[in-house]
Amino acid sequence: MALKVFNTLTNRKDEFAPIEPGKVRMYVCGVTVYDMCHIGHARAYISFDVIQRYLRYAGLGLTYVRNYTDVDDKIIKRAAEIGEQTTVVSERFIREFETDMDALGVAKADIEPKVTEHIPEIVALIGKIIERGHAYVAGGDVYFSVRSFPRYLQLSGRQLDEMKAGARVEVDERKQDPMDFALWKESKPGEPWWDSPWGRGRPGWHIECSAMSSKYLGDTFDIHGGGKDLIFPHHENEIAQSEAASGKKFVNYWIHNGFVNINEEKMSKSLGNFFTIREVTARFHPEALRYFMLTTHYRSPINFSDQSLEEAQKRVEYAYQTLDAVNTMLAGGEPKGGKNVNPPLVEGLIPAFREAMDDDFNAAKVLGDLSEPLRLLNELSSGKSGKPKDDVKRTLWDLGTKVVEIGSVLGIMTRDPATVLSEIRDRKVKAKNLDPEKIETLIAARAEARKAKDFARADQVRDELKSMGVAVMDTPKGTAWRVD
RNA sequence: GGCGCCAUAGCCAAGUGGUAAGGCGACGGUCUGCAAAACCGUUACGCACCGGUUCAAAUCCGGUUGGCGCCUCCA
């Protein structure tokens, strides 16, 4: 089955056909680096990370570009507020972004260009747009003339004249049309600036993505992505700029991810109802956050709640507990011989995975499909299945390998199980304000009581731990504990 | 006012024409000194509502209600 992607440009699922067979060029709008990232950013970059991984998995040669917007009104404002240089602010938040993405398992893009390092390209692009009659100089500013570009608003499917009624933007006197937008802005005192044919200034928002995408991916490329909120005006304006300059189609497939909601409302800075990635990952494991993001199709809104995160974390725990047991069972490496106990399940796994992902990257479906294999891995690795050991090992290997293969495309289940499990427990211990030492002491006391067959005393200790939210588990390898 | 999206069990959620995946929770069971974990079983005669198309609809069409988003910086 061929890959289908929902294309905002056509408003339907289109069969994906790259410009160059076997190769894909993809650009995703990166962050404006003026603050810590919130979980909306997490969703966007996780979504495209999965897309990125899947395209490569499917054997397509991918060039993935994700920029950093490091010149912008908000960065300037922020820098002024805290009395720092804009570059100090932007560099710091680039590092914070990298830290967050790393924790979430979001791989770096192949190219991560910064606006400040592409001013010449931007100036050249603006010059070209002016030359072609799609932009005009007004004082030290340069504006794109939306009326000169008949295809304007093709992505959002709106009408220019209908938009004017709702426009709440203050109209700059120098604009020929209220909808015209800045390509270049004259710098005010104290603002960063670069020389240009129009005087000292800086790029407007939008133009950087047009300049950097064409530099690294060409005038026309395959996929351009970002959050739904970027459709208008950002992506609409990118199309106008790029197509006005090149005279060619800009992008074939536009992919947009849905929002993260809080209490069914869009999470956003202006509403003040946002959580940073850092806040959430202090309470829940980063992989739980990632898993949560994948439980809903990337285009649908997803509602953030502690309960959902807890559920996601529970599944992550379950998966790693299972993998841990599988690893223990297969300590000797790939088993020789043995008979797979469930060939249809093992053999159907990857085809089902590909079918789901080929259908507009339906990772949520994949997660559901993973339940049965994980269940079987658990059953077999418990050692109590009653099946011949060789067959068990054979199946664990065959099935486990495929489960991890799928996990590696979704960016889950690829870390060291014991490490993740203890990281999760650490968070719960902290959340409940527990003292691990005290717990160990109690468990030791209980062990002694059990040894002496003083079960009344042992259960008393268990109850005490239980009231603290600690569950005690007696296993052949000793007594372990977990936080509920 | 314009454009668009969504509505599936207690909760989350997949499913775009063929007779409702999966998860969480709950209940019952196996295992266990007792538990926990794990495993097994049960948990939507119905997919907001009304009408239509069809042999067949959660899925297509029309309408109603409710919720959300964009039109302004925003992933």
Side-chain angles (χ1 to χ4, degrees):
Chain A
M1 183 183 158
L3 173 63
K4 283 186 176 170
V5 303
F6 188 91
N7 188 355
T8 309
L9 201 55
T10 56
N11 207 33
R12 58 159 195 253
K13 273 185 212 169
D14 287 332
E15 196 158 308
F16 181 71
I19 296 162
E20 220 179 309
K23 290 192 177 166
V24 180
R25 285 170 281 159
M26 175 164 90
Y27 186 96
V28 171
C29 287
V31 275
T32 299
V33 278
Y34 72 105
D35 204 350
M36 296 298 284
C37 285
H38 54 64
I39 53 178
H41 296 107
R43 184 177 199 199
Y45 301 117
I46 288 168
S47 297
F48 287 102
D49 185 54
V50 170
I51 289 172
Q52 175 264 120
R53 287 169 189 252
Y54 185 67
L55 292 173
R56 294 187 208 275
Y57 174 83
L60 294 160
L62 176 69
T63 305
Y64 178 28
V65 180
R66 191 187 59 212
N67 71 289
Y68 285 112
T69 297
D70 61 348
V71 179
D72 169 87
D73 291 350
K74 290 191 293 291
I75 300 170
I76 293 167
K77 185 165 168 251
R78 190 64 195 268
E81 278 167 14
I82 55 182
E84 281 178 7
Q85 296 279 50
T86 52
T87 49
V88 174
V89 171
S90 59
E91 286 302 320
R92 179 160 86 240
F93 288 114
I94 285 172
R95 283 196 302 276
E96 298 288 16
F97 175 83
E98 285 172 342
T99 302
D100 285 338
M101 292 306 119
D102 198 47
L104 293 171
V106 172
K108 288 182 80 72
D110 299 303
I111 304 167
E112 303 189 331
K114 296 172 189 166
V115 181
T116 52
E117 291 168 4
H118 293 80
I119 302 295
E121 287 87 345
I122 290 169
V123 169
L125 182 62
I126 295 172
K128 203 168 170 189
I129 298 170
I130 296 173
E131 246 172 63
R132 289 181 150 249
H134 291 288
Y136 54 92
V137 181
D141 294 348
V142 180
Y143 291 102
F144 187 91
S145 167
V146 295
R147 297 282 171 189
S148 77
F149 186 72
R151 293 194 305 284
Y152 192 56
L153 303 180
Q154 58 185 294
L155 188 62
S156 50
R158 299 190 175 110
Q159 299 299 318
L160 202 44
D161 294 314
E162 281 164 5
M163 301 225 5
K164 282 171 75 175
R168 275 173 274 169
V169 227
E170 66 212 75
V171 178
D172 192 309
E173 293 301 311
R174 293 176 295 183
K175 287 186 185 177
Q176 292 173 1
D177 185 283
M179 292 300 291
D180 288 351
F181 56 92
L183 299 178
W184 187 259
K185 293 171 146 177
E186 183 176 13
S187 64
K188 299 190 191 81
E191 290 183 349
W193 55 265
W194 289 264
D195 276 319
S196 82
W198 318 287
R200 288 177 172 182
R202 59 193 165 88
W205 185 39
H206 318 306
I207 193 69
E208 84 280 18
C209 287
S210 286
M212 296 190 290
S213 61
S214 68
K215 173 171 180 180
Y216 296 106
L217 301 175
D219 287 337
T220 305
F221 55 95
D222 301 295
I223 298 174
H224 191 131
K228 268 190 160 74
D229 46 358
L230 296 182
I231 295 173
F232 183 89
H234 187 54
H235 289 161
E236 207 68 83
N237 292 354
E238 275 185 58
I239 294 174
Q241 295 161 346
S242 293
E243 299 194 353
S246 73
K248 298 176 201 156
K249 188 175 184 187
F250 180 40
V251 169
N252 287 145
Y253 302 89
W254 286 88
I255 300 181
H256 293 97
N257 66 275
F259 297 129
V260 174
N261 289 167
I262 306 279
N263 295 326
E264 311 297 338
E265 267 190 346
K266 179 187 171 182
M267 187 187 78
S268 76
K269 292 235 154 176
S270 41
L271 289 171
N273 61 342
F274 64 92
F275 296 105
T276 64
I277 294 169
R278 216 57 71 80
E279 285 166 347
V280 173
T281 55
R283 299 170 51 224
F284 300 99
H285 196 277
E287 191 158 324
L289 179 55
R290 183 174 179 117
Y291 188 101
F292 164 70
M293 293 299 181
L294 300 179
T295 56
T296 300
H297 185 92
Y298 78 88
R299 275 192 296 113
S300 305
I302 188 169
N303 200 52
F304 178 91
S305 70
D306 279 12
Q307 190 190 327
S308 295
L309 262 287
E310 269 157 25
E311 280 180 23
Q313 182 159 275
K314 212 162 269 191
R315 291 303 289 170
V316 170
E317 241 181 323
Y318 174 79
Y320 277 113
Q321 232 164 256
T322 304
L323 291 178
D324 199 29
V326 171
N327 290 345
T328 304
M329 201 73 143
L330 294 174
E334 179 167 6
K336 295 182 192 72
K339 204 168 109 267
N340 181 350
V341 306
N342 191 339
L345 178 66
V346 173
E347 280 148 29
L349 207 51
I350 297 296
F353 163 67
R354 298 198 57 140
E355 192 182 331
M357 291 301 281
D358 277 345
D359 185 14
D360 198 27
F361 312 105
N362 195 344
K365 169 80 160 52
V366 175
L367 252 26
D369 290 346
L370 241 23
S371 281
E372 174 63 8
L374 282 171
R375 202 220 91 251
L376 183 60
L377 289 175
N378 230 318
E379 182 193 336
L380 296 176
S381 61
S382 72
K384 290 188 287 190
S385 63
K387 298 196 166 66
K389 195 141 191 188
D390 282 352
D391 293 355
V392 165
K393 285 193 175 184
R394 179 80 259 157
T395 312
L396 287 178
W397 180 272
D398 290 355
L399 189 56
T401 308
K402 290 190 164 62
V403 166
V404 170
E405 178 180 323
I406 291 167
S408 72
V409 179
L410 300 184
I412 56 173
M413 300 191 286
T414 59
R415 307 189 202 206
D416 173 56
T419 305
V420 173
L421 292 173
S422 83
E423 286 167 350
I424 290 174
R425 195 173 80 174
D426 289 348
R427 283 171 171 79
K428 292 181 180 172
V429 164
K430 211 174 156 195
K432 296 209 172 183
N433 228 326
L434 297 173
D435 177 2
E437 248 177 71
K438 190 182 169 197
I439 292 167
E440 295 293 352
T441 306
L442 284 168
I443 285 177
R446 176 172 168 274
E448 267 190 49
R450 290 183 74 215
K451 211 171 164 187
K453 303 271 183 205
D454 182 359
F455 293 121
R457 170 70 188 140
D459 288 349
Q460 195 186 338
V461 177
R462 177 194 287 289
D463 289 343
E464 188 179 341
L465 285 162
K466 196 176 178 185
S467 68
M468 293 161 61
V470 176
V472 177
M473 307 184 291
D474 297 321
T475 73
K477 287 189 285 183
T479 299
W481 59 277
R482 51 179 286 141
V483 185
D484 288 327

